[in-house]
Amino acid sequence: MPMRITLHQLQLFDAAARMPSFKAAAEALNLSPPALSIQLKILEESLGVSLFEQIGKKKYLTSPGLELQQVCHRIFDELNHLDMRFTQLRGGMAGKLSIAIVTSAKYFMPHLFGAFQRVYPNVEFNMIVANRTRILERLENNADDLVIMAHVPDAFDIKAIDFLDNPLIVIASPDHPLVKVKNIAFEQLLQQPFLIRESGSGTRMAVEQYFSSHNAAMKVAMELGSSEAIKQGVLARLGISILSRHCVWLELKTGFLKQLDVQGFPDVRSWYVVYRKGKQLSPVADAFIKFIVANGQIMLDEVEQLYR
């Protein structure tokens, strides 16, 4: 006997699977917990399997539940692609785009989203900002349409497209003695106390690679969990640091921080838009990639011009 399940039932199940509790899922769906429970019970009876199990106060997906969740994602993705494709055929571009970005990219990606949305006003963005570890988890689980990162992993079968230069620069407080020194030798930095990002950060990895390539070691004064914390630490004269220029361009414009003139810097790397190989990109995702590859640097240069 064929299964008789509806799209609405799958939507209810998917919400219940994603939320931390059935109560939270019911609230998000504007249902009462008993009403949601009844709908899920009907779905389980239709499928002939249990989709959830309760251990203590926590709910977990069973093996069939995990399998159904994957099927739901494929179905919803296909329906979303179909909706965007039909919109495109009608002469427009609309839909939702989910993009996960590492924390250092939050300083410039909103400007690119805004520029794209001015061209395609019917596109909605869902931006997830997280540290590198969490972003890699989302990439592995194919949780987003696209991922923005600077240090591309080797572990995944992915497609990575560079779209923007990522210059790493040495920064210091305005009254640091090296600020007025020209053509600073790299060796002079080795005695300076450094503020660095936490282990696992893409910026931390890039900086460590640079020092390793010069057979040198940093004099680490403090490890901090965000670029914002590092900027405040540098401003407080706790040490110098190396960050992406995109993280500090506004502070450089206002004079709150200074870029040191160090030999070998800027160390120019790249920002990448990343997705899993074999992933069927939506028309919106494909258009966004082409847009930032063609216009990313131009858009950011225009933003900086506003502050001159």
Side-chain angles (χ1 to χ4, degrees):
M1 184 175 178
M3 291 185 296
R4 295 182 179 276
I5 56 178
T6 66
L7 181 61
H8 180 61
Q9 287 175 317
L10 293 180
Q11 290 170 329
L12 296 180
F13 163 77
D14 182 61
R18 287 185 289 104
M19 295 291 179
S21 66
F22 291 118
K23 181 180 179 181
E27 290 176 353
L29 295 165
N30 292 318
L31 294 174
S32 67
L36 176 60
S37 180
I38 290 171
Q39 290 294 325
L40 294 176
K41 189 66 176 177
I42 293 172
L43 177 60
E44 288 181 325
E45 290 175 354
S46 299
L47 297 174
V49 295
S50 295
L51 300 173
F52 298 92
E53 58 183 353
Q54 194 87 18
I55 301 177
K57 294 184 178 181
K58 293 186 176 181
K59 69 172 180 64
Y60 299 90
L61 286 170
T62 62
S63 180
L66 288 169
E67 192 170 347
L68 181 61
Q69 187 183 41
Q70 293 176 354
V71 171
C72 284
H73 291 169
R74 291 199 295 270
I75 291 174
F76 298 152
D77 282 347
E78 288 296 327
L79 289 174
N80 190 40
H81 292 163
L82 188 63
D83 179 56
M84 287 188 281
R85 177 60 181 156
F86 286 170
T87 301
Q88 191 178 39
L89 290 173
R90 292 194 297 267
M93 177 72 74
K96 293 183 179 180
L97 193 58
S98 175
I99 300 185
I101 70 173
V102 294
T103 52
S104 296
K106 69 183 181 181
Y107 297 98
F108 64 89
M109 283 307 299
H111 296 293
L112 299 186
F113 293 157
F116 185 78
Q117 206 167 49
R118 285 190 288 275
V119 178
Y120 302 107
N122 294 322
V123 172
E124 298 178 18
F125 283 98
N126 179 34
M127 183 177 75
I128 298 92
V129 182
N131 62 29
R132 177 180 167 81
T133 300
R134 180 61 181 142
I135 292 296
L136 290 178
E137 290 175 359
R138 297 185 68 86
L139 181 59
E140 184 177 16
N141 295 327
N142 195 31
D144 307 286
D145 295 310
L146 301 170
V147 168
I148 303 295
M149 62 197 326
H151 196 87
V152 178
D154 298 323
F156 304 120
D157 192 16
I158 59 174
K159 175 75 172 177
I161 302 168
D162 62 304
F163 68 95
L164 186 67
D165 284 347
N166 180 24
L168 299 180
I169 63 173
V170 186
I171 60 169
S173 61
D175 58 353
H176 193 281
L178 290 179
V179 166
K180 296 182 180 180
V181 179
K182 299 297 182 183
N183 200 30
I184 302 167
F186 175 70
E187 288 72 21
Q188 288 183 258
L189 295 185
L190 302 184
Q191 298 305 312
Q192 295 293 323
F194 269 86
L195 308 183
I196 61 173
R197 286 290 303 271
E198 77 283 4
S199 181
S201 158
T203 302
R204 166 80 170 265
M205 295 169 72
V207 172
E208 288 179 337
Q209 284 178 355
Y210 188 89
F211 274 77
S212 177
S213 69
H214 287 74
N215 297 313
M218 284 180 290
K219 183 180 176 182
V220 178
M222 194 175 296
E223 182 178 299
L224 297 166
S226 70
S227 297
E228 284 300 317
I230 285 181
K231 288 191 287 186
Q232 292 300 318
V234 171
L235 191 58
R237 306 181 186 88
L238 296 175
I240 64 174
S241 189
I242 299 174
L243 289 177
S244 169
R245 188 180 183 280
H246 293 111
C247 296
V248 295
W249 69 270
L250 190 55
E251 287 82 1
L252 295 177
K253 293 286 185 185
T254 56
F256 284 102
L257 294 174
K258 295 293 184 179
Q259 177 178 341
L260 298 185
D261 181 20
V262 181
Q263 294 175 12
F265 285 89
D267 177 28
V268 181
R269 301 181 178 238
S270 295
W271 285 103
Y272 296 88
V273 56
V274 179
Y275 57 91
R276 297 292 296 268
K277 280 187 179 177
K279 184 181 183 70
Q280 182 182 353
L281 293 179
S282 68
V284 172
D286 184 59
F288 183 72
I289 292 174
K290 292 176 180 175
F291 180 84
I292 60 175
V293 168
N295 303 293
Q297 190 61 61
I298 297 171
M299 294 294 102
L300 295 186
D301 287 346
E302 289 181 357
V303 170
E304 288 201 30
Q305 287 287 342
L306 297 175
Y307 291 86
R308 287 184 178 175

